[in-house]
Amino acid sequence: MNTKSFLFASITVIIWASSFPAIRMVLHEGYSPGHLVLTRYFIASVIFAIYAMWTGVKFRLPEKKDLLQIAVLGWTGISLYHIGVTFGEETVSAGTAGMIVGAAPIFTSLIAVFFLKERISLFGWLGLALGFAGIAIITMADSAGPVFQMNKGVLFILMAACATAVMFAYQKPLLKRYSSIELTAYFTWVGTIPFFFFSPGMIEGLQQATLEAHLATIYIGIFPTVIGYVTWGLALSSGKASSVTSMLYIEPVFVILLAWIWLNEWPSMVSLIGGAIAISGVLVIHMLGSKQFRRRKQNRPHTGTIKC
């Protein structure tokens, strides 16, 4: 990987990682999860609309045949993903949420095997087993009390991981016909629509939030949601896709570090062990497990992919 692509990929990973502690902080400073996702994506939708109408910018509208697929993926990869992450972080630490979402390629691999009929080797199945073992450990670490009881926040985060996995698996044909920023804009506009369900009481709710929460919400709406995709596109355009996407595997590390610096929040040791096992499973799948592809070209954008 050359210096330019490494620089842009590193900036992207840090920006995307910062969204997890930022969400956690905003929730603690007065925003409800519903008002946060609506405000964040309203800001992002406006920015993408300004970009699309900017003089000299070539921005194509989607073809009629692609509208249904774009809508379904937008509602899945944006709406479900961000509802899952934001509501999940009410009770789950930013670092733990980052580790679970970082294991999303495990679910993508399952979709590829059972629905897209791709084949993986014995190493691939080993990676899947490691991944699910790691997720199970994280889940148990975040259960409350001496008797196992699933933390509902973990369920929300797992829903988000599954949603972004669906996005990974099914957006590839669209990436052949549209640029990354065009597709991200389509998904953002479509995915924002369900968030208006949370609009009742929004003005009163925002008045109760702190200035720091408002500033962090604006940051999330601009940087992880928009700027991150610009720097990611620059990284992919200036370097080898497989090398650039490999940078995404260290994103959970930055999530944990930023949550520690910003919130003085650190996952439990059991969660860290589970996260390390889960991410190891992802590495095994993508480095050793695929018979058909050494690497898949991925556009990230949680998400991922449309990301946070």
Side-chain angles (χ1 to χ4, degrees):
M1 189 189 310
N2 60 54
T3 303
K4 182 179 179 181
S5 60
F6 176 79
L7 176 62
F8 282 123
S10 299
I11 292 172
T12 305
V13 168
I14 293 171
I15 287 175
W16 281 344
S18 69
S19 65
F20 289 91
I23 289 170
R24 186 91 164 143
M25 188 276 280
V26 171
L27 294 176
H28 286 173
E29 294 291 329
Y31 272 71
S32 70
H35 293 162
L36 173 55
V37 292
L38 174 55
T39 305
R40 169 186 181 176
Y41 265 87
F42 181 78
I43 293 171
S45 294
V46 170
I47 293 173
F48 277 120
I50 293 172
Y51 170 81
M53 295 184 292
W54 198 265
T55 303
V57 171
K58 286 187 175 181
F59 191 94
R60 298 165 295 174
L61 292 176
E63 298 178 21
K64 187 176 181 180
K65 65 179 181 179
D66 295 325
L67 289 177
L68 179 60
Q69 185 177 4
I70 288 172
V72 171
L73 289 180
W75 292 328
T76 304
I78 295 291
S79 306
L80 284 180
Y81 173 81
H82 287 285
I83 287 172
V85 167
T86 308
F87 279 81
E89 284 201 55
E90 281 192 292
T91 56
V92 174
S93 70
T96 299
M99 289 187 290
I100 295 175
V101 172
I106 294 167
F107 299 102
T108 306
S109 297
L110 282 179
I111 293 171
V113 170
F114 291 106
F115 295 98
L116 302 181
K117 306 303 180 184
E118 294 184 11
R119 298 175 60 196
I120 59 174
S121 68
L122 181 61
F123 280 112
W125 290 110
L126 174 61
L128 286 173
L130 282 173
F132 280 109
I135 291 172
I137 291 172
I138 296 172
T139 300
M140 288 187 289
D142 274 81
S143 63
V147 179
F148 177 77
Q149 182 179 357
M150 177 70 77
N151 181 336
K152 70 174 183 178
V154 172
L155 290 177
F156 273 118
I157 303 295
L158 285 172
M159 180 185 80
C162 292
T164 199
V166 171
M167 172 75 78
F168 272 136
Y170 290 102
Q171 71 175 345
K172 216 158 56 167
L174 293 173
L175 287 169
K176 295 177 182 178
R177 297 194 287 276
Y178 304 101
S179 69
S180 173
I181 195 165
E182 288 172 338
L183 201 55
T184 303
Y186 305 154
F187 290 152
T188 297
W189 292 329
V190 172
T192 301
I193 296 172
F195 296 151
F196 282 95
F197 174 81
F198 302 113
S199 59
M202 184 169 177
I203 301 300
E204 296 81 359
L206 296 187
Q207 289 174 344
Q208 297 175 9
T210 65
L211 175 61
E212 290 80 3
H214 294 313
L215 293 175
T217 300
I218 293 171
Y219 168 82
I220 301 170
I222 295 174
F223 282 86
T225 316
V226 178
I227 301 299
Y229 287 98
V230 175
T231 55
W232 184 245
L234 291 171
L236 289 173
S237 65
S238 59
K240 189 177 178 182
S242 60
S243 298
V244 173
T245 53
S246 67
M247 293 286 290
L248 295 173
Y249 298 130
I250 65 171
E251 184 179 332
V253 176
F254 283 104
V255 175
I256 293 169
L257 290 175
L258 290 171
W260 175 54
I261 294 169
W262 195 345
L263 307 174
N264 195 27
E265 181 181 84
W266 194 263
S268 68
M269 182 56 66
V270 177
S271 292
L272 288 172
I273 293 172
I277 293 172
I279 300 304
S280 297
V282 173
L283 292 173
V284 170
I285 291 170
H286 284 270
M287 292 183 176
L288 302 172
S290 177
K291 286 185 175 180
Q292 292 184 333
F293 306 101
R294 296 302 296 173
R295 296 292 249 173
R296 295 186 186 92
K297 289 184 178 180
Q298 298 179 16
N299 183 37
R300 194 78 186 250
H302 233 165
T303 258
T305 181
I306 299 301
K307 289 289 295 175
C308 275

